[in-house]
Amino acid sequence: MMERAVERKVSRRMTMRLLINAISKYIFLLATLFGLVVLSVLIYRVFFEGFGWLNFDFLTGKLSTQPERAGIMGAILGTFWLMLVVAPVTMFLGVGTAIYLELYAKKGRLQGFIQTNISNLAGVPSIVYGILGLTVFARALNFGNIVLAGGLTMSLLILPIVIVASQEAIRAVPNPLSEASYGMGATKWQTIKSIILPSALPGILTGAILSLSRAIGETAPLVVIGIPALLIPFPGGIFDKFTVLPMQVYYWTLDSSLTAEYANLAAATIIVLLIALLLLNTTAIVIRNKFQQQH
Amino acid sequence: MPIKNELTKREIGIRELIEQKQHSRNFKESFEKAIPFFLFLIASVSILTTIGIVYTLLSETIEFFKRVPIADFFTGTTLKPLSQTPEFGVLPLIIGTVTSSLIAMAVAAPIGLMSAIYLSEYASEKVRKTVKPLLEILAGIPTIVYGFFAFTFVTPLLREFIPGLEATNILSPGIVMGVMIIPMIASLSEDAMSSVPNAMREGALALGSTRLEVTKKVVIPAALSGIIASFVLGISRAIGETMIVTIASGSTKNFTFDITQSMQTMTAYIVEVTGGDAPAGSTIYYSLYAVAMTLFVFTLLMNLLARSISRKYREAY
């Protein structure tokens, strides 16, 4: 009789434990889906509010005080010019730093110091970069709020990401490749230039494109530098005043508490911004996949 | 004599060639020597950036503390930079920042951790491979888009349930910020949990544990430092986040713990002051740097803490 009771007790506890396990599995699944549900609601809301406003006139029009006539060509051009500064500057500085750290620096205190410094920089809030840009580029060098000032600030902001990605790409190049090159009598720089860099290029490009897409969406540093919300002429070069897509979203979102239509304009601008990011990310994934097939 | 003439010509040609070769080799050697130096200059840009950040923040902050005593800044509960008798207490901003970060973590920590558990302990390889990149899209969405979402959708939605909720409040941006941080916590915690050796799981399973018990009693304790590090990084991210709180939490410098009210964070204050065109040299202008310095120190400490925690965890295996 005793044994029976114990057996029943054990089997009841076992059922309980299995049940709790099964239930928590679904709770964990729901938690995982939560983020995805919010993502779909967000995208649905943005399209719901903005899609009707997205047309040719909106894409090519100038800013206007009347929501029905406002367009974002200025912001599109501003984003374009900003990228024209950010892309070459970060590629040059990022890849250069990565080559130095991976291939030239002696493993030691200095290299460790630079490496620690880079990972600390990656954790600095973007708005602090904005203050650096405001103080150094906009005020001390007297650039004001032109594309060049914004671009240099943005470049410093995404520099840590580009450096780390380039370092990983360089480290992934198989050693025999460079050894063969040295064996043929090539110098170190020749080996880097014609063997290591071409082989690491897909990895470097993937990192660079992903960090560029970060720069396209980043708003805080530009707000701090003081990009105006006023009607400005289209920027025609890196020395012009400018605005970018996220800044336009920012001002229109603030204005939406006054005039409801501005929320539609902000949403339509977000659609353009998200499509641009999607294109960039797809490019990065395509490059990465091609690269993975190679090795 | 044509033959000799030709010889000398050839001789001179060879001599020239050798000289040229020598020349180019010298050039090549000095070029090779110059390269590391040149690359070091490029690498020092990142050090210069740090020096630039610390120097600008520090020098202007010192100027600020010449006008406003440090004690007043760190213990003052009123922040009125624009009034006739301006007061510069940073506590309202710190309360706003801490409150919004806590709300964000209340959302992101449990949901992120549960997602990590699901992906690392329950999901099949196929599910993991589809869900993880989808979650990462959340992290790639610009914060300004989250700000728009918080202001135009989440706040009106919350007001249906909480009647006293103000049009700008700290609750809605806090929640949305939490959603933004979920993928970061999920992915870092999942990494920590996946690196727990399988033998430990198998041992516990062989003793008759259920999946949940294995997770609770073996995997999470073993991956705890990695999980905590991901939480600390999440907090650091929330403290430094700017656009969501600027748009959705307003600019009222409230010293309160009421999450239905508008509060200003440190980052939102920086945006407000720079947007308001504070004249260089005024006390408001310098307060910008003092607040930014506080923000910088906060996030730096968090990042260092996260790194030291996760370094310990790496030593365990």
Side-chain angles (χ1 to χ4, degrees):
Chain A
M1 275 317 234
M2 269 283 280
E3 264 173 38
R4 265 272 172 81
V6 169
E7 208 171 88
R8 211 177 298 142
K9 209 171 148 194
V10 167
S11 107
R12 206 183 302 138
R13 280 194 61 183
M14 195 66 222
T15 324
M16 221 29 219
R17 284 167 63 201
L18 285 173
L19 185 69
I20 292 176
N21 180 50
I23 293 173
S24 34
K25 179 182 173 177
Y26 285 101
I27 294 177
F28 295 149
L29 175 63
L30 279 181
T32 312
L33 292 178
F34 176 80
L36 303 183
V37 170
V38 175
L39 180 67
S40 354
V41 172
L42 189 151
I43 290 173
Y44 169 76
R45 285 294 304 181
V46 166
F47 270 83
F48 179 78
E49 288 203 31
F51 198 70
W53 289 68
L54 200 61
N55 53 42
F56 187 72
D57 289 341
F58 175 73
L59 288 176
T60 56
K62 273 189 176 157
L63 288 178
S64 165
T65 44
Q66 292 161 283
E68 298 78 25
R69 293 177 53 190
I72 54 166
M73 196 60 205
I76 292 176
L77 286 173
T79 302
F80 169 76
W81 285 115
L82 191 75
M83 288 309 112
L84 226 54
V85 174
V86 175
V89 171
T90 39
M91 280 292 268
F92 179 72
L93 293 178
V95 178
T97 306
I99 295 176
Y100 177 76
L101 287 176
E102 286 301 312
L103 302 168
Y104 281 103
K106 290 189 186 76
K107 307 274 172 242
R109 219 178 257 169
L110 180 67
Q111 194 237 16
F113 173 70
I114 300 179
Q115 201 74 64
T116 316
N117 180 53
I118 288 167
S119 53
N120 277 337
L121 276 179
V124 173
S126 59
I127 194 161
V128 173
Y129 281 95
I131 294 204
L132 177 74
L134 173 75
T135 316
V136 175
F137 300 130
R139 293 214 170 119
L141 296 177
N142 217 3
F143 287 168
N145 43 21
I146 59 170
V147 176
L148 188 61
L152 291 177
T153 308
M154 234 26 138
S155 304
L156 294 184
L157 171 69
I158 61 170
L159 188 56
I161 316 175
V162 180
I163 294 176
V164 172
S166 308
Q167 277 185 290
E168 275 167 16
I170 290 174
R171 227 174 290 150
V173 176
N175 254 338
L177 277 184
S178 43
E179 276 157 16
S181 166
Y182 288 132
M184 298 287 285
T187 62
K188 187 158 191 175
W189 179 246
Q190 283 171 337
T191 308
I192 292 173
K193 199 181 64 180
S194 41
I195 303 293
I196 297 180
L197 277 189
S199 175
L201 196 64
I204 293 175
L205 276 183
T206 313
I209 293 172
L210 288 181
S211 61
L212 264 195
S213 70
R214 166 97 192 274
I216 285 187
E218 198 52 78
T219 326
L222 296 181
V223 181
V224 172
I225 288 179
I227 306 302
L230 308 168
L231 305 178
I232 45 168
F234 290 163
I238 60 169
F239 297 106
D240 288 348
K241 289 179 188 296
F242 73 114
T243 190
V244 291
L245 292 169
M247 290 297 297
Q248 213 47 67
V249 175
Y250 171 55
Y251 287 124
W252 277 338
T253 308
L254 290 184
D255 289 342
S256 71
S257 53
L258 307 172
T259 314
E261 279 85 14
Y262 281 117
N264 300 103
L265 289 179
T269 315
I270 289 176
I271 298 176
V272 177
L273 182 62
L274 290 182
I275 290 175
L277 292 183
L278 189 70
L279 287 178
L280 276 180
N281 285 323
T282 319
T283 319
I285 291 170
V286 168
I287 293 176
R288 187 163 55 191
N289 287 352
K290 263 201 176 149
F291 172 64
Q292 275 171 346
Q293 278 164 9
Q294 248 178 35
H295 281 275
Chain B
M1 281 186 282
I3 296 175
K4 199 181 179 193
N5 215 352
E6 217 167 79
L7 261 179
T8 20
K9 235 190 213 166
R10 206 183 290 159
E11 232 169 85
I12 291 166
I14 289 170
R15 217 167 271 152
E16 257 175 14
L17 265 177
I18 291 174
E19 247 166 50
Q20 270 175 10
K21 190 82 186 162
Q22 195 69 41
H23 227 79
S24 83
R25 185 176 292 164
N26 283 345
F27 174 74
K28 215 197 257 169
E29 264 168 22
S30 45
F31 184 71
E32 285 287 333
K33 268 184 201 145
I35 288 232
F37 179 70
F38 180 66
L39 287 174
F40 173 73
L41 286 185
I42 295 178
S44 58
V45 168
S46 68
I47 300 174
L48 282 178
T49 308
T50 310
I51 295 175
I53 289 174
V54 174
Y55 176 76
T56 48
L57 291 184
L58 209 58
S59 61
E60 313 287 51
T61 305
I62 289 171
E63 191 57 40
F64 175 76
F65 284 137
K66 278 184 190 155
R67 302 175 183 209
V68 178
I70 292 190
D72 288 7
F73 181 69
F74 282 112
T75 59
T77 55
T78 36
L79 179 61
K80 285 189 214 151
L82 289 169
S83 89
Q84 287 290 74
T85 49
E87 286 181 78
F88 289 98
V90 79
L91 281 184
L93 299 183
I94 291 186
I95 294 284
T97 306
V98 170
T99 313
S100 61
S101 306
L102 286 181
I103 297 171
M105 287 312 287
V107 173
I111 295 180
L113 181 59
M114 286 196 279
S115 312
I117 293 174
Y118 183 77
L119 291 175
S120 135
E121 303 301 315
Y122 289 93
S124 65
E125 188 61 23
K126 209 173 160 192
V127 172
R128 183 175 11 200
K129 273 203 170 144
T130 11
V131 172
K132 235 188 154 181
L134 279 177
L135 266 183
E136 268 153 19
I137 295 179
L138 272 178
I141 287 182
T143 55
I144 185 74
V145 178
Y146 281 115
F148 173 83
F149 184 64
F151 189 64
T152 64
F153 179 67
V154 177
T155 300
L157 186 73
L158 287 174
R159 287 177 96 174
E160 301 275 314
F161 302 102
I162 311 168
L165 196 68
E166 291 178 23
T168 53
N169 59 76
I170 203 77
L171 181 61
S172 148
I175 294 174
V176 173
M177 215 148 71
V179 174
M180 179 190 82
I181 297 171
I182 288 174
M184 181 179 165
I185 289 184
S187 137
L188 290 178
S189 300
E190 206 237 284
D191 287 346
M193 288 162 70
S194 307
S195 64
V196 172
N198 250 336
M200 287 168 78
R201 281 191 195 87
E202 282 154 9
L205 283 172
L207 288 171
S209 313
T210 63
R211 275 265 163 214
L212 179 68
E213 287 157 355
V214 172
T215 308
K216 262 199 324 207
K217 294 187 177 146
V218 176
V219 178
I220 290 185
L224 196 62
S225 42
I227 294 170
I228 292 176
S230 82
F231 287 1
V232 177
L233 278 181
I235 296 174
S236 166
R237 186 80 180 278
I239 290 175
E241 210 299 308
T242 310
M243 297 324 289
I244 306 177
V245 281
T246 303
I247 289 180
S249 74
S251 58
T252 323
K253 292 141 189 72
N254 260 330
F255 184 71
T256 174
F257 291 96
D258 183 355
I259 54 171
T260 62
Q261 286 189 20
S262 165
M263 284 188 219
Q264 194 169 39
T265 62
M266 293 191 269
T267 49
Y269 178 78
I270 296 173
V271 168
E272 191 198 354
V273 171
T274 48
D277 232 7
S282 63
T283 313
I284 306 178
Y285 169 79
Y286 287 118
S287 76
L288 172 75
Y289 290 90
V291 171
M293 186 78 198
T294 317
L295 173 72
F296 178 71
V297 171
F298 259 63
T299 49
L300 185 68
L301 288 180
M302 287 290 169
N303 293 333
L304 292 178
L305 180 67
R307 189 119 48 87
S308 76
I309 294 175
S310 69
R311 195 173 295 153
K312 257 186 212 152
Y313 130 86
R314 209 175 297 151
E315 278 167 16
Y317 301 107

